[in-house]
Amino acid sequence: MNIGILASGKGSNFEALVKAFREENRVLVKCLVSDQPGANVNTLADQYGIKKLLVSFDKDRTKLDDETKIADYLIAQGVEWVVLAGYMRILKKPMLSRFPNRILNIHPSLLPSFPGLNAVKQALDYGVKFTGCTVHYVNENIDQGKIIAQKVVPVLEEDTLDSLLLRVHQAEHALYPQVIRDLIKSEKHSSLCQKH
Ligand code: GRF
């Protein structure tokens, strides 16, 4: 399975996915698409030898044009599944229509609680005793696509934002590759069933 990763920031999930799949032949990280020229994730892509497309989202072009450019690039790279890893833009029709039910996102809370920005801080401020992360399909509504998997992280009395962020990130790094592996297994299974 060929995946393409879209990211805008630090890239810890990008790195976790690349590391998880580089020893395997079942999943290939074909490329990174980034919308932030200064983001650390670009450096990581260079470091791991992953091709990248930097999309500038120029103000004089429409966002849909830029998104079409991304979709064209991913298709040209042979990408079958799109994996969002801290990508800070809302996907629209050019991507959603070309990868129907094939775009995943990871969010740092147990959705539907705490969607949107600063989810870990929201959870800490609210006083919940358990939070975690969610992998879900992407649709046109932010953080509202069908949930695929979740991993629970307990909130400890002594937690600070930094300590909780760290554990939620660790949970993400374990969950995301596992969900992708499971998706391949179930795809293979269903295509075998269709053949018989
Ligand atoms: C992660 O917490 C992810 O859940 C959210 O954005 C963050 C990206 O972090 N969507 P990183 O860039 O992968 O370190």
Side-chain angles (χ1 to χ4, degrees):
M1 183 212 269
N2 292 335
I3 67 170
I5 301 179
L6 272 57
S8 309
K10 208 171 109 201
S12 70
N13 279 283
F14 170 83
E15 186 170 29
L17 291 166
V18 170
K19 280 185 169 171
F21 297 135
R22 65 181 168 177
E23 309 294 332
E24 296 179 19
N25 54 12
R26 289 178 296 176
V27 182
L28 191 60
V29 179
K30 290 293 280 188
C31 54
L32 167 75
V33 174
S34 155
D35 64 333
Q36 295 297 330
N40 185 57
V41 72
N42 304 321
T43 313
L44 288 171
D46 294 342
Q47 212 171 296
Y48 287 99
I50 307 285
K51 271 190 217 161
K52 68 172 188 288
L53 172 71
L54 191 58
V55 181
S56 60
F57 282 87
D58 294 338
K59 288 200 182 78
D60 54 340
R61 299 183 60 201
T62 71
K63 286 185 175 161
L64 292 186
D65 280 350
D66 289 313
E67 222 188 84
T68 302
K69 189 171 148 189
I70 294 175
D72 288 346
Y73 174 77
L74 293 171
I75 288 166
Q77 295 297 319
V79 166
E80 299 162 283
W81 282 82
V82 178
V83 175
L84 307 189
Y87 184 65
M88 301 305 285
R89 286 177 192 276
I90 301 166
L91 292 187
K92 306 249 171 42
K93 208 164 166 218
M95 282 293 292
L96 296 173
S97 64
R98 289 168 83 184
F99 292 96
N101 290 318
R102 281 179 170 256
I103 307 179
L104 308 176
N105 183 40
I106 190 158
H107 181 78
S109 76
L110 297 175
L111 289 171
S113 294
F114 312 123
L117 295 175
N118 304 317
V120 178
K121 181 170 187 311
Q122 288 185 56
L124 193 63
D125 290 349
Y126 209 93
V128 293
K129 302 303 170 206
F130 294 93
T131 186
C133 54
T134 302
V135 177
H136 63 94
Y137 288 105
V138 172
N139 63 18
E140 60 285 355
N141 303 313
I142 304 175
D143 301 329
Q144 285 180 38
K146 191 171 182 215
I147 291 172
I148 302 170
Q150 296 186 304
K151 196 167 173 69
V152 174
V153 174
V155 181
L156 309 177
E157 273 306 312
E158 63 273 22
D159 261 330
T160 60
L161 181 56
D162 282 347
S163 65
L164 188 55
L165 271 169
L166 181 71
R167 293 206 315 289
V168 171
H169 271 125
Q170 286 168 343
E172 290 185 329
H173 301 161
L175 183 67
Y176 220 177
Q178 195 51 51
V179 167
I180 293 170
R181 286 189 191 105
D182 291 346
L183 276 173
I184 310 175
K185 272 192 215 146
S186 64
E187 270 217 325
K188 273 197 180 146
H189 179 75
S190 64
S191 72
L192 276 176
C193 291
Q194 275 163 21
K195 277 184 198 152
H196 291 292

